[in-house]
DNA sequence: ACAAAAGTGTTTAGATTACACCCATGA
DNA sequence: TCATGGGTGTAATCTAAACACTTTTGT
């Protein structure tokens, strides 16, 4: 303690890039900052790391406060530590990104926080370095989608291969060949075909799939 | 400031996974910790983030203090923030990894710090979570080596394709087919063949190559 | 000439891409 | 029956891996 005392201490925050999927678009949870500086400007959801919690726990706490969800996918993005990134005081921020199912989140809590789901195709200007946090989180999401199936985090338990392709198109912001996409996904053998069809999109109907429960974790594929 | 004041502040450290290449092995710079707790145990090189510097700058500062090198490759690995990771006091640590050319470093400085280059094939037990920092840094290095040529960071300006292959074998801890490796590397067109040969390893001699200066940055390849 | 390392070529297998085609169904 | 999305098949291309073969040179 004596030895450390000659060094300064800093506020440490976590900022969460909370991503969901709705209406064929990836959406980001943002809210108009409720206090100065930059009150009213768009911001990621964040908070300060307390004494009794790790940054991971702080991020999970914030996620629960704002969406009501627990035990969801949450991973570090990067740290942001420019001395003047926050004009009010020096704050070192650890950025996280979360993937949630919008259909399961607590709309009440989102409203309480004054937060909104905003399509990443049409993002407003964000405070501080939050834009960069989002950018790096999106790259991480694309990497993750490249080696594991993001369906379970962002889609309901059952989904059609067309829905999954639309999700991937939203993540990578470009189109995939329907035939090739379906073959590639199925070749990994992690999906289980159900006998139920989604008839809302076509006359023929598309079969639902779900991730095989026994090996839901060892998914490995690439696009 | 008023608003932030209700939140705690923390010591923020950076710990550097400093990697080099020597004698066909990847080596890590370690030193026996010079103060309690865990005095005498092997530790990464680290230090505390000061008020006037970013974490990136702090890492660069530590790197210069311990190796004499500046403007070298340095990148974030992850943050480590378990409240009790350091038994002495709460310290949130930001891990970085650096790639340096051992042939260029300042041996004086390393000696002053009591530091040693230790092969990653034979690492001792490290303090705190430093083992995990190293593990994640190695994964990052492997990823980086997968899409860009790590030769410029870890090898001298000129090197033979055999030397480069040995480097990659050290990074990935497995052997590559000599013929296929050379074809793959050359196919990316980022290397320039020189007319000089390294005759120290064989009678025939192996041509030196260097990274094409004009496009040294846009190297992109995969193994 | 021959050993030993450097470097080239060939063959095969698998993955990726583009795209044509068939299927099922409600209106 | 036909328009519409859902789903399958195939040929061309690209890449990766395994490994045989040639080249160079000091002794």
């Amino acid at each position: 303690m004596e030895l450390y005392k000659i060094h300064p201490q800093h506020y440490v925050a976590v900022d969460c890039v909370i991503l969901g999927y709705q209406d064929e678009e990836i959406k980001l949870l943002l809210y108009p900052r409720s206090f100065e500086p930059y009150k009213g400007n768009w911001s990621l959801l964040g908070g300060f790391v307390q004494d009794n919690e790790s940054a991971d726990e702080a991020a999970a706490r914030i996620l629960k406060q704002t969406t009501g969800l627990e035990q969801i996918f949450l991973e570090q993005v990067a740290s942001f530590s420019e001395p003047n990134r926050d004009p009010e005081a020096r704050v070192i921020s650890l950025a996280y990104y979360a993937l949630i199912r919008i259909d399961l989140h607590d709309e009440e809590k989102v409203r309480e926080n004054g937060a909104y789901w905003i399509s990443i195709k049409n993002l407003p200007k964000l405070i501080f370095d939050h834009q960069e946090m989002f950018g790096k989180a999106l790259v991480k999401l694309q990497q993750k989608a490249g080696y594991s199936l993001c369906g379970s985090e962002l889609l309901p338990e059952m989904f059609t291969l067309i829905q999954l392709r639309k999700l991937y198109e939203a993540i990578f912001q470009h189109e995939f060949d329907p035939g090739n996409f379906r073959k590639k996904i199925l070749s990994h053998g992690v999906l289980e075909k159900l006998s139920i069809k989604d008839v809302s999109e076509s006359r023929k109907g598309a079969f639902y799939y779900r991730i095989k429960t026994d090996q839901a974790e060892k998914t490995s594929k690439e696009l």
Side-chain angles (χ1 to χ4, degrees), chain A:
Chain A
M1 204 61 183
E2 276 312 312
L3 269 162
Y4 295 180
K5 274 214 169 112
I6 65 169
H7 298 291
Q9 292 185 305
H10 311 279
Y11 295 114
V12 178
V14 298
D15 286 301
C16 298
V17 178
I18 303 174
L19 299 171
Y21 177 66
Q22 192 178 49
D23 299 334
E24 305 190 359
E25 289 186 328
I26 299 290
K27 296 195 173 176
L28 170 61
L29 194 62
L30 294 175
Y31 83 114
R33 189 167 154 101
S34 54
F35 50 90
E36 294 296 344
Y38 291 97
K39 181 171 176 176
N41 291 74
W42 290 102
S43 167
L44 297 175
L45 280 302
F48 288 86
V49 175
Q50 303 300 314
D51 280 326
N52 59 339
E53 64 181 1
S54 67
D56 290 25
E57 287 162 355
R61 171 172 58 78
I62 285 154
L63 203 70
K64 186 178 177 191
Q65 282 169 10
T66 52
T67 67
L69 297 174
E70 288 180 275
Q71 298 184 336
I72 56 95
F73 177 85
L74 191 60
E75 216 170 64
Q76 291 183 21
V77 173
S79 64
F80 292 80
S81 59
E82 286 301 320
N84 297 313
R85 52 178 293 282
D86 182 332
E88 184 70 9
R90 189 189 186 168
V91 179
I92 291 171
S93 178
L94 308 178
Y96 280 77
Y97 85 107
L99 301 180
I100 80 156
R101 281 178 47 189
I102 291 188
D103 63 308
L104 290 185
H105 87 288
D106 185 338
E107 294 183 36
E108 278 299 327
K109 283 212 163 68
V110 167
R111 251 194 302 272
E112 280 170 26
N113 287 281
Y116 300 89
W117 290 101
I118 299 178
S119 165
I120 64 168
K121 285 160 76 173
N122 199 20
L123 284 185
K125 191 165 159 44
L126 307 182
I127 60 163
F128 306 165
D129 38 23
H130 286 197
Q131 191 78 42
E132 195 184 345
M133 292 178 180
F134 162 72
K136 291 195 173 178
L138 184 60
V139 170
K140 284 241 167 193
L141 170 57
Q142 290 173 343
Q143 287 171 350
K144 175 178 163 55
Y147 57 77
S148 95
L149 217 48
C150 286
S152 49
E153 285 92 3
L154 292 164
L155 290 174
E157 285 84 10
M158 351 188 268
F159 46 84
T160 67
L161 289 173
I162 289 92
Q163 288 167 351
L164 184 64
R165 177 167 53 82
K166 292 264 164 69
L167 167 62
Y168 269 71
E169 289 176 347
I171 290 174
F172 288 96
Q173 314 261 38
H174 73 79
E175 301 199 341
F176 293 97
D177 178 282
N180 294 338
F181 181 84
R182 106 182 268 112
K183 262 177 296 181
K184 181 149 204 169
I185 296 292
L186 290 178
S187 75
H188 288 91
V190 299
L191 288 188
E192 179 181 6
K193 188 179 189 172
L194 304 180
S195 44
I196 324 158
K197 276 187 170 184
D198 167 30
V199 290
S200 66
E201 298 290 323
S202 71
R203 302 186 183 138
K204 183 178 177 182
F207 279 104
Y208 279 115
Y209 288 77
R210 71 171 169 213
I211 294 180
K212 282 185 189 167
T213 46
D214 51 327
Q215 52 190 37
E217 285 319 304
K218 51 172 165 151
T219 64
S220 86
K221 65 163 204 46
E222 286 175 33
L223 280 174

